[in-house]
Amino acid sequence: MPELPEVETVVRELRGPLVGRRLGPAQLSRKPLRRKWSAAWTGLLAGRTVIAVERRGKWILIDVGGPWLLIHLGMSGQLRVVDAGAPREPHTHVVLPLDAGATELRFRDPRRFGSVLFCPDRALRDAFLEDGRLGPEPFALEPAAWRQCLAGTARSIKAVLLDQKVVAGVGNIYADEALHQARVHPARPARDLTPRQADAVRRALARVLARAIECRGSTIRDYVGGSGCKGSYQERHRVYHRTGQPCRRCGAPIERIVLAGRSTHFCPACQAGPPLAG
DNA sequence: ATAGGCGCCTGCTGGC
DNA sequence: TGCCAGCAGGCGCCTA
């Protein structure tokens, strides 16, 4: 669910209420997340103070003074700091009391595709995140390397954008939105893009993601930021979730296809079709 | 190398 | 009203 802008929003909104707080013993629901919480982590965390909250791709990284907590929201994850007395919503799977317990960090995730992991130190954190798993941040793409990367693969440009090893943090919404802004058909083999188009996609990605961060992300159904507020970028979507509605640029009805196993939205008029048909 | 399918989960929506 | 299929912002594994 949450992509880079949503995760970035969560991180920004959690910094205030988290940094400087001391963690209490973790409380866990009975249901496991994608990766099971190890009992030893509870003792390793308790009493530590939050130093920093960062983001890498779609991962939330919490520095607890040596060790790190790595959190992935999956499709339906929410991470919030709330008053300890507030009623605990269903599907709350990890709770970390803060300071004397007046507030607490809660991870809730109805679908349980998310992860909450403990990493003993920064080196292991980086080994986990960087060893071939995550490509560069979209804002840090080197133009020449990016063009070369696209030129080297026959996969569709949409599949490439969704591949976290190529560029970290892009998901289904922003892949579709960026391709529309760059006027590139999502099914186009990446290696068939001209250098100009490769540049256009790279710039559109950065533009769309930056704008979405300003809007605190997109809320389609259940996404909320770290302070519990929804995003508003969905109001600016030009193709995502707009099947049949007029393209905001040319008026043609937006089409939906399935690509790389994902729902894919595009304007058949202003996003030039892939070869094969021509 | 890459596409496609499935599995992991729950919940919501729309059609009948 | 109820049931059921289809859908969902992610990702990893398997097969062909």
PDB file of all heavy atoms in Angstrom, chain C residues 2-13:
ATOM      1  P    DG C   2     -28.226 -10.820   6.258  1.00  0.00           P
ATOM      2  OP1  DG C   2     -28.258 -11.710   7.443  1.00  0.00           O
ATOM      3  OP2  DG C   2     -27.316  -9.676   6.209  1.00  0.00           O
ATOM      4  O5'  DG C   2     -27.968 -11.716   4.960  1.00  0.00           O
ATOM      5  C5'  DG C   2     -28.799 -12.832   4.666  1.00  0.00           C
ATOM      6  C4'  DG C   2     -28.153 -13.583   3.523  1.00  0.00           C
ATOM      7  O4'  DG C   2     -28.259 -12.790   2.312  1.00  0.00           O
ATOM      8  C3'  DG C   2     -26.656 -13.810   3.749  1.00  0.00           C
ATOM      9  O3'  DG C   2     -26.321 -15.109   3.322  1.00  0.00           O
ATOM     10  C2'  DG C   2     -25.995 -12.750   2.877  1.00  0.00           C
ATOM     11  C1'  DG C   2     -26.982 -12.617   1.729  1.00  0.00           C
ATOM     12  N9   DG C   2     -26.959 -11.317   1.063  1.00  0.00           N
ATOM     13  C8   DG C   2     -26.960 -10.077   1.653  1.00  0.00           C
ATOM     14  N7   DG C   2     -26.953  -9.098   0.789  1.00  0.00           N
ATOM     15  C5   DG C   2     -26.942  -9.725  -0.447  1.00  0.00           C
ATOM     16  C6   DG C   2     -26.933  -9.173  -1.759  1.00  0.00           C
ATOM     17  O6   DG C   2     -26.933  -8.000  -2.094  1.00  0.00           O
ATOM     18  N1   DG C   2     -26.922 -10.173  -2.730  1.00  0.00           N
ATOM     19  C2   DG C   2     -26.932 -11.518  -2.480  1.00  0.00           C
ATOM     20  N2   DG C   2     -26.914 -12.327  -3.531  1.00  0.00           N
ATOM     21  N3   DG C   2     -26.948 -12.049  -1.252  1.00  0.00           N
ATOM     22  C4   DG C   2     -26.954 -11.094  -0.295  1.00  0.00           C
ATOM     23  P    DC C   3     -24.951 -15.776   3.732  1.00  0.00           P
ATOM     24  OP1  DC C   3     -25.233 -17.018   4.464  1.00  0.00           O
ATOM     25  OP2  DC C   3     -24.116 -14.727   4.341  1.00  0.00           O
ATOM     26  O5'  DC C   3     -24.360 -16.143   2.311  1.00  0.00           O
ATOM     27  C5'  DC C   3     -25.180 -16.747   1.321  1.00  0.00           C
ATOM     28  C4'  DC C   3     -24.508 -16.558  -0.014  1.00  0.00           C
ATOM     29  O4'  DC C   3     -24.711 -15.198  -0.475  1.00  0.00           O
ATOM     30  C3'  DC C   3     -22.994 -16.768   0.052  1.00  0.00           C
ATOM     31  O3'  DC C   3     -22.607 -17.677  -0.951  1.00  0.00           O
ATOM     32  C2'  DC C   3     -22.410 -15.378  -0.183  1.00  0.00           C
ATOM     33  C1'  DC C   3     -23.504 -14.705  -0.995  1.00  0.00           C
ATOM     34  N1   DC C   3     -23.533 -13.222  -0.865  1.00  0.00           N
ATOM     35  C2   DC C   3     -23.567 -12.422  -2.026  1.00  0.00           C
ATOM     36  O2   DC C   3     -23.558 -12.973  -3.121  1.00  0.00           O
ATOM     37  N3   DC C   3     -23.599 -11.069  -1.891  1.00  0.00           N
ATOM     38  C4   DC C   3     -23.607 -10.515  -0.677  1.00  0.00           C
ATOM     39  N4   DC C   3     -23.651  -9.178  -0.604  1.00  0.00           N
ATOM     40  C5   DC C   3     -23.567 -11.310   0.513  1.00  0.00           C
ATOM     41  C6   DC C   3     -23.533 -12.648   0.378  1.00  0.00           C
ATOM     42  P    DC C   4     -21.151 -18.293  -1.019  1.00  0.00           P
ATOM     43  OP1  DC C   4     -21.229 -19.760  -1.005  1.00  0.00           O
ATOM     44  OP2  DC C   4     -20.329 -17.592  -0.007  1.00  0.00           O
ATOM     45  O5'  DC C   4     -20.662 -17.822  -2.454  1.00  0.00           O
ATOM     46  C5'  DC C   4     -21.583 -17.295  -3.421  1.00  0.00           C
ATOM     47  C4'  DC C   4     -20.738 -16.574  -4.452  1.00  0.00           C
ATOM     48  O4'  DC C   4     -20.884 -15.145  -4.262  1.00  0.00           O
ATOM     49  C3'  DC C   4     -19.249 -16.875  -4.303  1.00  0.00           C
ATOM     50  O3'  DC C   4     -18.655 -16.863  -5.574  1.00  0.00           O
ATOM     51  C2'  DC C   4     -18.766 -15.724  -3.431  1.00  0.00           C
ATOM     52  C1'  DC C   4     -19.614 -14.576  -3.969  1.00  0.00           C
ATOM     53  N1   DC C   4     -19.799 -13.461  -3.008  1.00  0.00           N
ATOM     54  C2   DC C   4     -20.017 -12.164  -3.511  1.00  0.00           C
ATOM     55  O2   DC C   4     -20.067 -12.005  -4.729  1.00  0.00           O
ATOM     56  N3   DC C   4     -20.175 -11.153  -2.641  1.00  0.00           N
ATOM     57  C4   DC C   4     -20.118 -11.381  -1.324  1.00  0.00           C
ATOM     58  N4   DC C   4     -20.284 -10.340  -0.501  1.00  0.00           N
ATOM     59  C5   DC C   4     -19.898 -12.683  -0.797  1.00  0.00           C
ATOM     60  C6   DC C   4     -19.736 -13.683  -1.667  1.00  0.00           C
ATOM     61  P    DA C   5     -17.185 -17.440  -5.820  1.00  0.00           P
ATOM     62  OP1  DA C   5     -17.263 -18.802  -6.362  1.00  0.00           O
ATOM     63  OP2  DA C   5     -16.394 -17.180  -4.607  1.00  0.00           O
ATOM     64  O5'  DA C   5     -16.683 -16.473  -6.973  1.00  0.00           O
ATOM     65  C5'  DA C   5     -17.627 -15.962  -7.908  1.00  0.00           C
ATOM     66  C4'  DA C   5     -17.165 -14.590  -8.367  1.00  0.00           C
ATOM     67  O4'  DA C   5     -17.461 -13.605  -7.341  1.00  0.00           O
ATOM     68  C3'  DA C   5     -15.666 -14.507  -8.632  1.00  0.00           C
ATOM     69  O3'  DA C   5     -15.474 -13.805  -9.852  1.00  0.00           O
ATOM     70  C2'  DA C   5     -15.125 -13.743  -7.427  1.00  0.00           C
ATOM     71  C1'  DA C   5     -16.294 -12.855  -7.049  1.00  0.00           C
ATOM     72  N9   DA C   5     -16.353 -12.496  -5.628  1.00  0.00           N
ATOM     73  C8   DA C   5     -16.227 -13.322  -4.546  1.00  0.00           C
ATOM     74  N7   DA C   5     -16.349 -12.710  -3.392  1.00  0.00           N
ATOM     75  C5   DA C   5     -16.577 -11.389  -3.743  1.00  0.00           C
ATOM     76  C6   DA C   5     -16.800 -10.233  -2.974  1.00  0.00           C
ATOM     77  N6   DA C   5     -16.824 -10.222  -1.645  1.00  0.00           N
ATOM     78  N1   DA C   5     -16.990  -9.072  -3.633  1.00  0.00           N
ATOM     79  C2   DA C   5     -16.964  -9.078  -4.969  1.00  0.00           C
ATOM     80  N3   DA C   5     -16.781 -10.108  -5.805  1.00  0.00           N
ATOM     81  C4   DA C   5     -16.583 -11.241  -5.117  1.00  0.00           C
ATOM     82  P    DG C   6     -13.998 -13.676 -10.461  1.00  0.00           P
ATOM     83  OP1  DG C   6     -14.119 -13.742 -11.934  1.00  0.00           O
ATOM     84  OP2  DG C   6     -13.091 -14.585  -9.736  1.00  0.00           O
ATOM     85  O5'  DG C   6     -13.641 -12.179 -10.066  1.00  0.00           O
ATOM     86  C5'  DG C   6     -14.542 -11.133 -10.399  1.00  0.00           C
ATOM     87  C4'  DG C   6     -13.990  -9.836  -9.842  1.00  0.00           C
ATOM     88  O4'  DG C   6     -14.276  -9.779  -8.411  1.00  0.00           O
ATOM     89  C3'  DG C   6     -12.470  -9.729  -9.976  1.00  0.00           C
ATOM     90  O3'  DG C   6     -12.139  -8.453 -10.485  1.00  0.00           O
ATOM     91  C2'  DG C   6     -11.951  -9.921  -8.549  1.00  0.00           C
ATOM     92  C1'  DG C   6     -13.110  -9.369  -7.728  1.00  0.00           C
ATOM     93  N9   DG C   6     -13.158  -9.886  -6.367  1.00  0.00           N
ATOM     94  C8   DG C   6     -12.983 -11.188  -5.946  1.00  0.00           C
ATOM     95  N7   DG C   6     -13.096 -11.329  -4.650  1.00  0.00           N
ATOM     96  C5   DG C   6     -13.348 -10.047  -4.187  1.00  0.00           C
ATOM     97  C6   DG C   6     -13.556  -9.576  -2.868  1.00  0.00           C
ATOM     98  O6   DG C   6     -13.558 -10.207  -1.823  1.00  0.00           O
ATOM     99  N1   DG C   6     -13.789  -8.205  -2.846  1.00  0.00           N
ATOM    100  C2   DG C   6     -13.813  -7.386  -3.953  1.00  0.00           C
ATOM    101  N2   DG C   6     -14.039  -6.102  -3.746  1.00  0.00           N
ATOM    102  N3   DG C   6     -13.614  -7.824  -5.193  1.00  0.00           N
ATOM    103  C4   DG C   6     -13.397  -9.153  -5.232  1.00  0.00           C
ATOM    104  P    DC C   7     -10.639  -8.158 -10.910  1.00  0.00           P
ATOM    105  OP1  DC C   7     -10.701  -7.526 -12.231  1.00  0.00           O
ATOM    106  OP2  DC C   7      -9.818  -9.361 -10.684  1.00  0.00           O
ATOM    107  O5'  DC C   7     -10.193  -7.087  -9.822  1.00  0.00           O
ATOM    108  C5'  DC C   7     -10.945  -5.894  -9.628  1.00  0.00           C
ATOM    109  C4'  DC C   7     -10.565  -5.316  -8.283  1.00  0.00           C
ATOM    110  O4'  DC C   7     -11.072  -6.187  -7.258  1.00  0.00           O
ATOM    111  C3'  DC C   7      -9.056  -5.309  -8.058  1.00  0.00           C
ATOM    112  O3'  DC C   7      -8.509  -4.043  -8.423  1.00  0.00           O
ATOM    113  C2'  DC C   7      -8.912  -5.532  -6.562  1.00  0.00           C
ATOM    114  C1'  DC C   7     -10.273  -5.971  -6.100  1.00  0.00           C
ATOM    115  N1   DC C   7     -10.223  -7.225  -5.320  1.00  0.00           N
ATOM    116  C2   DC C   7     -10.396  -7.129  -3.951  1.00  0.00           C
ATOM    117  O2   DC C   7     -10.585  -6.014  -3.458  1.00  0.00           O
ATOM    118  N3   DC C   7     -10.343  -8.252  -3.202  1.00  0.00           N
ATOM    119  C4   DC C   7     -10.134  -9.436  -3.780  1.00  0.00           C
ATOM    120  N4   DC C   7     -10.098 -10.512  -3.002  1.00  0.00           N
ATOM    121  C5   DC C   7      -9.959  -9.556  -5.193  1.00  0.00           C
ATOM    122  C6   DC C   7     -10.007  -8.427  -5.920  1.00  0.00           C
ATOM    123  P    DA C   8      -6.895  -3.956  -8.555  1.00  0.00           P
ATOM    124  OP1  DA C   8      -6.605  -2.841  -9.469  1.00  0.00           O
ATOM    125  OP2  DA C   8      -6.328  -5.292  -8.807  1.00  0.00           O
ATOM    126  O5'  DA C   8      -6.464  -3.557  -7.076  1.00  0.00           O
ATOM    127  C5'  DA C   8      -6.928  -2.340  -6.498  1.00  0.00           C
ATOM    128  C4'  DA C   8      -6.441  -2.269  -5.064  1.00  0.00           C
ATOM    129  O4'  DA C   8      -7.243  -3.140  -4.250  1.00  0.00           O
ATOM    130  C3'  DA C   8      -5.013  -2.804  -4.893  1.00  0.00           C
ATOM    131  O3'  DA C   8      -4.079  -1.750  -5.107  1.00  0.00           O
ATOM    132  C2'  DA C   8      -5.016  -3.245  -3.428  1.00  0.00           C
ATOM    133  C1'  DA C   8      -6.467  -3.631  -3.177  1.00  0.00           C
ATOM    134  N9   DA C   8      -6.656  -5.092  -3.131  1.00  0.00           N
ATOM    135  C8   DA C   8      -6.556  -5.974  -4.161  1.00  0.00           C
ATOM    136  N7   DA C   8      -6.779  -7.220  -3.815  1.00  0.00           N
ATOM    137  C5   DA C   8      -7.041  -7.139  -2.459  1.00  0.00           C
ATOM    138  C6   DA C   8      -7.359  -8.111  -1.488  1.00  0.00           C
ATOM    139  N6   DA C   8      -7.454  -9.407  -1.749  1.00  0.00           N
ATOM    140  N1   DA C   8      -7.557  -7.690  -0.219  1.00  0.00           N
ATOM    141  C2   DA C   8      -7.450  -6.381   0.052  1.00  0.00           C
ATOM    142  N3   DA C   8      -7.158  -5.385  -0.778  1.00  0.00           N
ATOM    143  C4   DA C   8      -6.972  -5.831  -2.031  1.00  0.00           C
ATOM    144  P    DG C   9      -2.969  -1.893  -6.277  1.00  0.00           P
ATOM    145  OP1  DG C   9      -3.583  -1.201  -7.394  1.00  0.00           O
ATOM    146  OP2  DG C   9      -2.440  -3.241  -6.435  1.00  0.00           O
ATOM    147  O5'  DG C   9      -1.777  -1.025  -5.768  1.00  0.00           O
ATOM    148  C5'  DG C   9      -1.967   0.073  -4.932  1.00  0.00           C
ATOM    149  C4'  DG C   9      -0.621   0.526  -4.399  1.00  0.00           C
ATOM    150  O4'  DG C   9      -0.906   1.536  -3.470  1.00  0.00           O
ATOM    151  C3'  DG C   9       0.120  -0.512  -3.586  1.00  0.00           C
ATOM    152  O3'  DG C   9       1.468  -0.076  -3.416  1.00  0.00           O
ATOM    153  C2'  DG C   9      -0.626  -0.506  -2.292  1.00  0.00           C
ATOM    154  C1'  DG C   9      -0.953   0.969  -2.163  1.00  0.00           C
ATOM    155  N9   DG C   9      -2.309   1.213  -1.660  1.00  0.00           N
ATOM    156  C8   DG C   9      -3.447   0.495  -1.929  1.00  0.00           C
ATOM    157  N7   DG C   9      -4.504   0.962  -1.321  1.00  0.00           N
ATOM    158  C5   DG C   9      -4.031   2.062  -0.617  1.00  0.00           C
ATOM    159  C6   DG C   9      -4.697   2.967   0.227  1.00  0.00           C
ATOM    160  O6   DG C   9      -5.882   2.980   0.522  1.00  0.00           O
ATOM    161  N1   DG C   9      -3.842   3.928   0.745  1.00  0.00           N
ATOM    162  C2   DG C   9      -2.509   4.005   0.481  1.00  0.00           C
ATOM    163  N2   DG C   9      -1.836   4.969   1.054  1.00  0.00           N
ATOM    164  N3   DG C   9      -1.860   3.165  -0.312  1.00  0.00           N
ATOM    165  C4   DG C   9      -2.683   2.222  -0.811  1.00  0.00           C
ATOM    166  P    DG C  10       2.575  -1.073  -3.875  1.00  0.00           P
ATOM    167  OP1  DG C  10       3.862  -0.394  -3.765  1.00  0.00           O
ATOM    168  OP2  DG C  10       2.142  -1.637  -5.166  1.00  0.00           O
ATOM    169  O5'  DG C  10       2.524  -2.226  -2.785  1.00  0.00           O
ATOM    170  C5'  DG C  10       2.864  -1.939  -1.438  1.00  0.00           C
ATOM    171  C4'  DG C  10       3.848  -2.979  -0.924  1.00  0.00           C
ATOM    172  O4'  DG C  10       3.172  -4.233  -0.761  1.00  0.00           O
ATOM    173  C3'  DG C  10       5.026  -3.238  -1.867  1.00  0.00           C
ATOM    174  O3'  DG C  10       6.174  -3.398  -1.045  1.00  0.00           O
ATOM    175  C2'  DG C  10       4.659  -4.529  -2.577  1.00  0.00           C
ATOM    176  C1'  DG C  10       3.808  -5.245  -1.529  1.00  0.00           C
ATOM    177  N9   DG C  10       2.750  -6.058  -2.097  1.00  0.00           N
ATOM    178  C8   DG C  10       1.888  -5.715  -3.108  1.00  0.00           C
ATOM    179  N7   DG C  10       1.023  -6.659  -3.383  1.00  0.00           N
ATOM    180  C5   DG C  10       1.348  -7.685  -2.498  1.00  0.00           C
ATOM    181  C6   DG C  10       0.762  -8.966  -2.320  1.00  0.00           C
ATOM    182  O6   DG C  10      -0.176  -9.459  -2.937  1.00  0.00           O
ATOM    183  N1   DG C  10       1.389  -9.671  -1.317  1.00  0.00           N
ATOM    184  C2   DG C  10       2.438  -9.225  -0.569  1.00  0.00           C
ATOM    185  N2   DG C  10       2.912 -10.054   0.349  1.00  0.00           N
ATOM    186  N3   DG C  10       3.000  -8.035  -0.721  1.00  0.00           N
ATOM    187  C4   DG C  10       2.406  -7.317  -1.704  1.00  0.00           C
ATOM    188  P    DC C  11       7.610  -3.596  -1.713  1.00  0.00           P
ATOM    189  OP1  DC C  11       8.552  -3.004  -0.765  1.00  0.00           O
ATOM    190  OP2  DC C  11       7.551  -3.181  -3.111  1.00  0.00           O
ATOM    191  O5'  DC C  11       7.840  -5.165  -1.681  1.00  0.00           O
ATOM    192  C5'  DC C  11       7.875  -5.822  -0.433  1.00  0.00           C
ATOM    193  C4'  DC C  11       7.846  -7.301  -0.662  1.00  0.00           C
ATOM    194  O4'  DC C  11       6.600  -7.695  -1.245  1.00  0.00           O
ATOM    195  C3'  DC C  11       8.930  -7.804  -1.617  1.00  0.00           C
ATOM    196  O3'  DC C  11       9.604  -8.816  -0.944  1.00  0.00           O
ATOM    197  C2'  DC C  11       8.141  -8.359  -2.796  1.00  0.00           C
ATOM    198  C1'  DC C  11       6.870  -8.781  -2.097  1.00  0.00           C
ATOM    199  N1   DC C  11       5.690  -8.987  -2.978  1.00  0.00           N
ATOM    200  C2   DC C  11       4.921 -10.146  -2.796  1.00  0.00           C
ATOM    201  O2   DC C  11       5.249 -10.936  -1.911  1.00  0.00           O
ATOM    202  N3   DC C  11       3.850 -10.354  -3.594  1.00  0.00           N
ATOM    203  C4   DC C  11       3.532  -9.458  -4.535  1.00  0.00           C
ATOM    204  N4   DC C  11       2.468  -9.701  -5.281  1.00  0.00           N
ATOM    205  C5   DC C  11       4.299  -8.274  -4.724  1.00  0.00           C
ATOM    206  C6   DC C  11       5.366  -8.075  -3.937  1.00  0.00           C
ATOM    207  P    DG C  12      11.163  -9.093  -1.278  1.00  0.00           P
ATOM    208  OP1  DG C  12      11.974  -8.499  -0.209  1.00  0.00           O
ATOM    209  OP2  DG C  12      11.410  -8.743  -2.688  1.00  0.00           O
ATOM    210  O5'  DG C  12      11.222 -10.674  -1.122  1.00  0.00           O
ATOM    211  C5'  DG C  12      10.478 -11.285  -0.070  1.00  0.00           C
ATOM    212  C4'  DG C  12      10.044 -12.646  -0.526  1.00  0.00           C
ATOM    213  O4'  DG C  12       8.841 -12.548  -1.324  1.00  0.00           O
ATOM    214  C3'  DG C  12      11.081 -13.340  -1.408  1.00  0.00           C
ATOM    215  O3'  DG C  12      11.195 -14.682  -0.991  1.00  0.00           O
ATOM    216  C2'  DG C  12      10.493 -13.229  -2.810  1.00  0.00           C
ATOM    217  C1'  DG C  12       9.007 -13.307  -2.506  1.00  0.00           C
ATOM    218  N9   DG C  12       8.158 -12.741  -3.536  1.00  0.00           N
ATOM    219  C8   DG C  12       8.329 -11.561  -4.215  1.00  0.00           C
ATOM    220  N7   DG C  12       7.390 -11.334  -5.097  1.00  0.00           N
ATOM    221  C5   DG C  12       6.547 -12.420  -4.989  1.00  0.00           C
ATOM    222  C6   DG C  12       5.352 -12.734  -5.684  1.00  0.00           C
ATOM    223  O6   DG C  12       4.783 -12.084  -6.573  1.00  0.00           O
ATOM    224  N1   DG C  12       4.808 -13.950  -5.265  1.00  0.00           N
ATOM    225  C2   DG C  12       5.344 -14.748  -4.290  1.00  0.00           C
ATOM    226  N2   DG C  12       4.695 -15.876  -4.014  1.00  0.00           N
ATOM    227  N3   DG C  12       6.461 -14.470  -3.633  1.00  0.00           N
ATOM    228  C4   DG C  12       7.007 -13.298  -4.031  1.00  0.00           C
ATOM    229  P    DC C  13      12.451 -15.552  -1.466  1.00  0.00           P
ATOM    230  OP1  DC C  13      13.133 -15.973  -0.234  1.00  0.00           O
ATOM    231  OP2  DC C  13      13.178 -14.848  -2.551  1.00  0.00           O
ATOM    232  O5'  DC C  13      11.736 -16.816  -2.116  1.00  0.00           O
ATOM    233  C5'  DC C  13      10.684 -17.482  -1.420  1.00  0.00           C
ATOM    234  C4'  DC C  13       9.845 -18.223  -2.421  1.00  0.00           C
ATOM    235  O4'  DC C  13       9.067 -17.279  -3.176  1.00  0.00           O
ATOM    236  C3'  DC C  13      10.697 -18.995  -3.435  1.00  0.00           C
ATOM    237  O3'  DC C  13      10.487 -20.389  -3.293  1.00  0.00           O
ATOM    238  C2'  DC C  13      10.224 -18.497  -4.788  1.00  0.00           C
ATOM    239  C1'  DC C  13       8.920 -17.791  -4.480  1.00  0.00           C
ATOM    240  N1   DC C  13       8.661 -16.667  -5.399  1.00  0.00           N
ATOM    241  C2   DC C  13       7.540 -16.718  -6.238  1.00  0.00           C
ATOM    242  O2   DC C  13       6.806 -17.717  -6.169  1.00  0.00           O
ATOM    243  N3   DC C  13       7.300 -15.688  -7.084  1.00  0.00           N
ATOM    244  C4   DC C  13       8.124 -14.643  -7.114  1.00  0.00           C
ATOM    245  N4   DC C  13       7.841 -13.650  -7.962  1.00  0.00           N
ATOM    246  C5   DC C  13       9.273 -14.575  -6.271  1.00  0.00           C
ATOM    247  C6   DC C  13       9.502 -15.594  -5.433  1.00  0.00           C
TER     248       DC C  13
END
